[in-house]
Amino acid sequence: MASLIPKDKRQLRACLICGIVQNHHVFRDSGCPNCNRYVSMAGQNDMVTDCTSGTFDGVMAVLQPKKSWVCKFAHVNTSQPGIYASHVYGRVPEDIEDTLTRQGITYHPRDGSADE
């Protein structure tokens, strides 16, 4: 449980694809635990900058994503346990969105723009 909560609260970023919240250096060193199979961020600082945002609102602790209706509503019910942002401001670049589409992944913008 303690490993899910970022220890250093500085430089927190949220993934624009899945919404998981981690420190910048964790995204840079390990990538996103949910999105690595689609977009490789590990070792690529530019990709971390493109696919994450430091501007987000609200967080939710996800322990059992497959059993949670909140996770289903937030489109993280197939994701890893962790801390997730309710809203992440920004969008992935168009080329990354195209890559996700080619891989059969529906991109759900986490800034609320899809609801409009």
Side-chain angles (χ1 to χ4, degrees), residues 5-12 22-23 25:
I5 302 170
K7 290 176 180 49
D8 184 7
K9 308 302 184 274
R10 296 173 291 164
Q11 297 184 357
L12 286 179
Q22 301 183 128
N23 294 97
H25 68 85

Side-chain angles (χ1 to χ4, degrees), residues 24-113:
H24 181 272
H25 68 85
V26 175
F27 280 114
R28 186 193 61 229
D29 296 344
S30 306
C32 177
N34 300 308
C35 304
N36 268 348
R37 59 185 176 254
Y38 313 117
V39 179
S40 178
M41 292 186 225
Q44 300 183 47
N45 206 41
D46 289 345
M47 191 65 84
V48 171
T49 302
D50 287 347
C51 295
T52 65
S53 173
T55 309
F56 56 90
D57 287 330
V59 292
M60 58 186 159
V62 174
L63 300 177
Q64 297 178 323
K66 290 177 178 54
K67 295 182 178 182
S68 170
W69 67 268
V70 173
C71 291
K72 185 174 183 178
F73 179 79
H75 304 287
V76 295
N77 57 316
T78 60
S79 299
Q80 297 293 315
I83 305 297
Y84 288 81
S86 300
H87 285 85
V88 184
Y89 296 96
R91 289 186 70 124
V92 295
E94 199 170 304
D95 61 320
I96 294 173
E97 194 170 342
D98 291 343
T99 299
L100 294 170
T101 302
R102 279 194 305 274
Q103 295 181 28
I105 305 303
T106 302
Y107 172 59
H108 300 278
R110 302 202 167 273
D111 61 1
S113 63

